[in-house]
Amino acid sequence: MELKAAIEQRRSVRGYLHKPVSKEILTRILAIAVRAPSTKNAQPWHFFVVAEEPLEQLKRANVDRFRSPEGPPEEMGHILIEPEKGTVYRERQVDIGKRLFNVMGIGREDKAKRMEWVERGFRYFDAPAAIIIVGDKSRPIEGTYLDAGLVIQNICLAAVDFGLATCIENQGITYSDVLREILEIPDDKRLLAAIAIGYPDWDFPANQVISPREDVENVITWCGL
Ligand SMILES: Cc1cc2nc3c(=O)[nH]c(=O)nc-3n(C[C@H](O)[C@H](O)[C@H](O)COP(=O)(O)O)c2cc1C
């Protein structure tokens, strides 16, 4: 597949077929993805690839925790920061939310459906597999996030080439203590992101949403051209 086509075809998929992804394919995707560049070739990533019973356990534990009064652990506070009202970032957040809720038929006041939607996220959108990306706490956080972002995008693009789809998810690592316990993630690792991965269910309404982009000329300052 042409790279340009993969970039254009990739989108966040939030509904999957009940079809497992083989260990072989997941290995091939990750083997390609780790060709990503990183600061001084640090390669500051490690992947917990979760499927079958451990994934079911994780989904249940995330949802239980979401329903309990206990909030997320302090270490994940940074991923819960919402964009400020009145900013373009807030506008874009609201816009993508509206688009998803519209196609899913979730009304503004429909608390039950909204809850069910949030719980889907905690269930990795019912994907047959999830990849949890972690880094070393000993490494600077900014560099780690930048490097991890490159490998994460590679995973998402390589997945497209295998006929798979993904959704990068902060939500999937919100309850880091739950993940640490079930997956036995050591304390010296920082949870960076989750990726739901599987074969896309194109009949799932949310998968029809194509998120908009700012016109490219608006995000370029030409210097010398
Ligand atoms: C770091 C990161 C975290 C994200 N977390 C979530 C999430 O928790 N839940 C979700 O539904 N989508 C999540 N997304 C997906 C974004 O909403 C999505 O990438 C954005 O709306 C653009 O849409 P597209 O991926 O379809 O192009 C996340 C994306 C990134 C890069």
Side-chain angles (χ1 to χ4, degrees):
M1 175 181 233
E2 220 196 313
L3 179 61
K4 286 193 290 252
I7 292 171
E8 277 170 4
Q9 278 176 35
R10 186 217 58 83
R11 70 176 83 158
S12 293
V13 158
R14 298 177 176 89
Y16 295 88
L17 300 177
H18 296 292
K19 179 178 168 186
V21 184
S22 73
K23 191 172 179 177
E24 189 220 329
I25 288 179
L26 289 166
T27 308
R28 286 171 69 190
I29 289 171
L30 290 172
I32 293 165
V34 295
R35 294 306 307 166
S38 59
T39 315
K40 296 178 181 168
N41 203 21
Q43 306 166 62
W45 44 65
H46 187 89
F47 310 101
F48 286 78
V49 185
V50 196
E52 305 289 346
E53 187 42 38
L55 183 58
E56 293 310 314
Q57 216 184 323
L58 197 51
K59 288 177 189 176
R60 281 196 300 270
N62 270 341
V63 171
D64 284 351
R65 183 59 183 283
F66 171 63
R67 289 178 186 172
S68 85
E70 199 184 345
E74 208 173 306
E75 68 165 339
M76 301 318 289
H78 61 287
I79 67 165
L80 300 169
I81 296 170
E82 294 287 343
E84 266 182 53
K85 278 190 184 152
T87 63
V88 68
Y89 308 108
R90 175 75 180 170
E91 275 170 31
R92 290 174 185 158
Q93 179 192 32
V94 170
D95 172 80
I96 191 68
K98 275 188 185 163
R99 285 171 195 264
L100 289 166
F101 280 14
N102 266 346
V103 292
M104 292 300 297
I106 303 173
R108 266 179 83 86
E109 307 301 329
D110 196 335
K111 273 195 174 168
K113 277 193 180 169
R114 280 177 173 248
M115 274 304 179
E116 164 53 20
W117 179 255
V118 176
E119 290 190 1
R120 276 187 77 76
F122 284 119
R123 298 197 311 262
Y124 306 93
F125 303 106
D126 295 329
I131 301 173
I132 312 299
I133 299 102
V134 305
D136 278 333
K137 278 187 181 166
S138 64
R139 301 277 309 163
I141 191 164
E142 299 86 352
T144 301
Y145 269 113
L146 182 55
D147 292 342
L150 302 173
V151 83
I152 287 170
Q153 173 74 339
N154 273 0
I155 293 171
C156 296
L157 294 178
V160 173
D161 199 42
F162 282 94
L164 291 161
T166 52
C167 187
I168 305 164
E169 257 200 291
N170 274 344
Q171 200 187 345
I173 53 164
T174 307
Y175 300 119
S176 57
D177 48 348
V178 167
L179 282 99
R180 285 188 191 285
E181 191 185 328
I182 293 173
L183 307 179
E184 298 181 25
I185 301 175
D187 281 345
D188 62 353
K189 300 284 181 202
R190 192 191 304 284
L191 279 75
L192 300 171
I195 307 177
I197 184 164
Y199 293 94
D201 175 1
W202 292 122
D203 292 331
F204 188 74
N207 293 344
Q208 303 307 319
V209 172
I210 310 276
S211 57
R213 292 295 184 273
E214 184 66 48
D215 189 283
V216 76
E217 285 297 338
N218 294 340
V219 295
I220 303 173
T221 301
W222 298 107
C223 306
L225 280 173

